[in-house]
Amino acid sequence: MARKDLLDLASLSREEIDDLLDQAVPFKDLFTRSVKKVPALKGKSVLMLFYEPSTRTHSSFEVAAKRLSADVTNFDVPHSSVVKGESVRETVETLQAMRTDYIVVRHGRSGLPAMIARQTRASVVNAGDGAHAHPTQGLLDAFTLKEVFPEPEGRRVLIVGDILHSRVARSTSTVMRRLGAEVAYLGPGSLVPRNGPAGVTRFTDYEEAMRWKPEVVYLLRVQMERQDVQFFPSLREYHKVYGVNRERLKRLEDEGIWLMHPGPVNRGVELCDEAMDYERSLINQQVENGIAVRMAVLYWLKPGKA
Ligand code: CP
C-alpha cells in the first residue's frame, strides 16, 4: 500500500523497510556518475520546514530533492511570521495554498509532523520531532549497517549515551531490531530508561557492555539543549565513563568494532579527536548514505490528490 507520510519507523512493516532500503541502492550508485540527477520528481515541489537547527538532515534532504529534479523551497523560520506569533497550523495553511507536494519538517515538539500530516494533502516527512522519532536517520543507519553486514540478523549493536532524550536511539534501534540485529543500550542510569523496549539489553557499565561483544558501537550525541536538569556531573566525567577515549579506541581497533555516530559530534565528549580518523568509523558513510536514503523516501511516498 502506498504511504502518504513518513512519521516514524515503528509503523512500517519489515517489507516496507526492505523496499525503502533496496530503493536507496541505485540512488547511491548515481553518486559515482558524472550526471547525478534523475527526473523522477520533475515538476514536484518540496518544502523544507525546519524549526530547529540542522546541518546533515536539512542539507541532505535538499540535495536529495534536487537530485530527483524537484523544486525546493526553504521556509526561513527566523525571518517568517512565526516570530510574530504565527502558529504552525497557520503557517501550514498558508504554505498549503502554494500546493507543495512534500513537506520535510523538523520541530522540537513530538507529534507535530503527524499533526501537519493530518492537515495537508502533501506528503509529510518527519525530519526529527522532539524525543519521538527521526525515521530517516534510522533508515540511513540501517542502510549503513547493511553495507558492513549484508545479513544484519544476530549482529550486535551497542547504542551509547543519552537514550532518554534521543529520537535517534528510538528510530535506529527500532529499524535495526526489525532487521534482526540485537540492540543494547549503555549510558548513565539517569539516561537509560528502565522500561525500554522488550528485547533490548540495558547496561550502565562500559566494561559489562563490552563483554556483551558488540560488533558496532553507536555513540549518541549528548543533547545539552534538551536537558533542563544535569543528568551527569560534567562533560569531562561523561567522556571518562562513557566516551570513546584513546584507550577505548585502541580496544575497538583490536576487536574490529565499527563506530557510528549520527552527528554532530561533540569532540572530547562522545569521541576523542583520534576517533574521527578511526579506520572502522562509519560516520562519513552515514552522511553520504543519508542522501541516497532520503532520495528513496521522497520517491517512495505518494502525496495525496489536490
Ligand atoms: N543527525 C542529525 O540529525 O544531524 P543534524 O541535526 O545536523 O540534522
Side-chain angles (χ1 to χ4, degrees), residues 75-108:
F75 180 72
D76 187 3
V77 173
H79 296 106
S80 71
S81 291
V82 170
V83 293
K84 296 186 231 163
E86 181 178 80
S87 68
V88 173
R89 184 177 287 275
E90 281 176 280
T91 304
V92 172
E93 275 168 9
T94 306
L95 298 171
Q96 180 59 37
M98 299 174 193
R99 303 204 175 271
T100 189
D101 297 293
Y102 301 85
I103 300 176
V104 179
V105 60
R106 172 173 287 193
H107 200 287

Side-chain angles (χ1 to χ4, degrees), residues 50 53-59 106 127 134 137 140 167-168 218 221 261-264 294:
F50 277 62
S54 164
T55 302
R56 287 148 205 81
T57 314
H58 187 285
S59 56
R106 172 173 287 193
H134 194 346
Q137 179 71 46
L140 76 88
R167 55 198 179 202
V168 173
Y218 189 116
R221 186 173 74 86
H261 190 298
R294 286 167 179 134

Side-chain angles (χ1 to χ4, degrees), residues 42 98 267:
K42 197 168 169 54
M98 299 174 193
R267 286 186 184 221

Side-chain angles (χ1 to χ4, degrees), residues 17-166:
I17 290 167
D18 286 341
D19 192 27
L20 271 166
L21 297 179
D22 289 347
Q23 290 201 24
V25 175
F27 287 129
K28 186 164 179 185
D29 291 344
L30 201 65
F31 300 176
T32 54
R33 304 227 191 109
S34 57
V35 177
K36 297 178 178 57
K37 218 167 165 170
V38 289
L41 295 190
K42 197 168 169 54
K44 302 287 182 194
S45 54
V46 178
L47 177 75
M48 309 283 283
L49 189 56
F50 277 62
Y51 289 85
E52 277 191 344
S54 164
T55 302
R56 287 148 205 81
T57 314
H58 187 285
S59 56
S60 62
F61 261 117
E62 187 164 351
V63 171
K66 287 179 175 169
R67 286 190 181 169
L68 292 167
S69 304
D71 298 316
V72 180
T73 305
N74 282 296
F75 180 72
D76 187 3
V77 173
H79 296 106
S80 71
S81 291
V82 170
V83 293
K84 296 186 231 163
E86 181 178 80
S87 68
V88 173
R89 184 177 287 275
E90 281 176 280
T91 304
V92 172
E93 275 168 9
T94 306
L95 298 171
Q96 180 59 37
M98 299 174 193
R99 303 204 175 271
T100 189
D101 297 293
Y102 301 85
I103 300 176
V104 179
V105 60
R106 172 173 287 193
H107 200 287
R109 257 192 283 148
S110 299
L112 195 116
M115 189 196 91
I116 295 176
R118 287 192 293 274
Q119 211 186 314
T120 172
R121 62 158 203 97
S123 283
V124 174
V125 187
N126 179 3
D129 62 333
H132 170 231
H134 194 346
T136 57
Q137 179 71 46
L139 288 170
L140 76 88
D141 290 337
F143 187 89
T144 307
L145 181 76
K146 281 190 75 174
E147 285 186 324
V148 178
F149 298 117
E151 302 293 337
E153 203 90 17
R155 297 294 182 173
R156 294 193 158 188
V157 181
L158 178 67
I159 303 183
V160 185
D162 178 355
I163 310 291
L164 190 69
H165 299 97
S166 177

